[in-house]
Amino acid sequence: METCTYELSHSAITATHFYKAYEGDRVNLCFDCSSRFGYPEHLVEYPVKRAFRPQAGFLINVQIGDGEHSLAADVWPMGNADKPEEWLNVLGCPDSDALLADSLWEPYRTHYSVRDGFTFETTSVLVLPLAQVCK
Ligand SMILES: [Zn+2]
């Protein structure tokens, strides 16, 4: 177990992060020290076991041209790779595979496709695990 070497009085506290000092020495920081560290971009987090890990998903939205959105097909965050395409096809999206590919290529930006007055919007985002929801 690495302990905090950033502050002398923290020598018994477990380190959560480190950075490489000028001559390659590793400087360990506990959670408290790393939270106050002025250059967080130089910190590397020690591996931690987490109960969950964010995963890729999609927000899918269908708009009618008048600004109202269809309540039946509102926001669908999904982790499963096949479900978003399946869902878009059911809704009548003409190019669901290309739409999803564009979304994956450029996350956090909404991509859209229009057909028969409906606008299909997809956005690739990070979501909490939804495995139980999608099964
Ligand atoms: Zn510390």
Side-chain angles (χ1 to χ4, degrees):
M1 180 185 82
E2 302 284 349
T3 54
C4 184
T5 54
Y6 192 67
E7 239 184 79
L8 274 179
S9 61
H10 288 179
S11 60
I13 303 174
T14 306
T16 59
H17 295 73
F18 70 89
Y19 69 88
K20 292 269 180 158
Y22 176 63
E23 289 180 327
D25 294 336
R26 202 177 259 206
V27 178
N28 292 319
L29 289 82
C30 65
F31 181 77
D32 192 39
C33 289
S34 63
S35 304
R36 290 183 280 113
F37 191 65
Y39 305 94
E41 67 271 24
H42 295 297
L43 291 179
V44 180
E45 190 177 10
Y46 278 114
V48 211
K49 267 200 171 175
R50 297 185 195 285
F52 60 84
R53 176 187 295 268
Q55 62 185 41
F58 293 101
L59 297 177
I60 297 176
N61 206 341
V62 179
Q63 312 275 345
I64 307 171
D66 58 6
E68 295 289 315
H69 57 268
S70 161
L71 291 175
D74 207 4
V75 180
W76 274 64
M78 293 190 208
N80 188 316
D82 301 332
K83 292 284 180 188
E85 189 172 350
E86 208 174 284
W87 178 239
L88 281 170
N89 288 338
V90 166
L91 295 173
C93 180
D95 45 8
S96 53
D97 53 339
L99 192 57
L100 292 171
D102 284 352
S103 299
L104 280 175
W105 173 72
E106 193 178 21
Y108 287 95
R109 180 165 171 197
T110 302
H111 292 263
Y112 67 94
S113 174
V114 180
R115 182 192 210 177
D116 298 336
F118 286 93
T119 304
F120 302 88
E121 296 180 344
T122 64
T123 313
S124 168
V125 294
L126 282 181
V127 297
L128 296 178
L130 296 164
Q132 286 80 6
V133 179
C134 292
K135 275 179 190 163

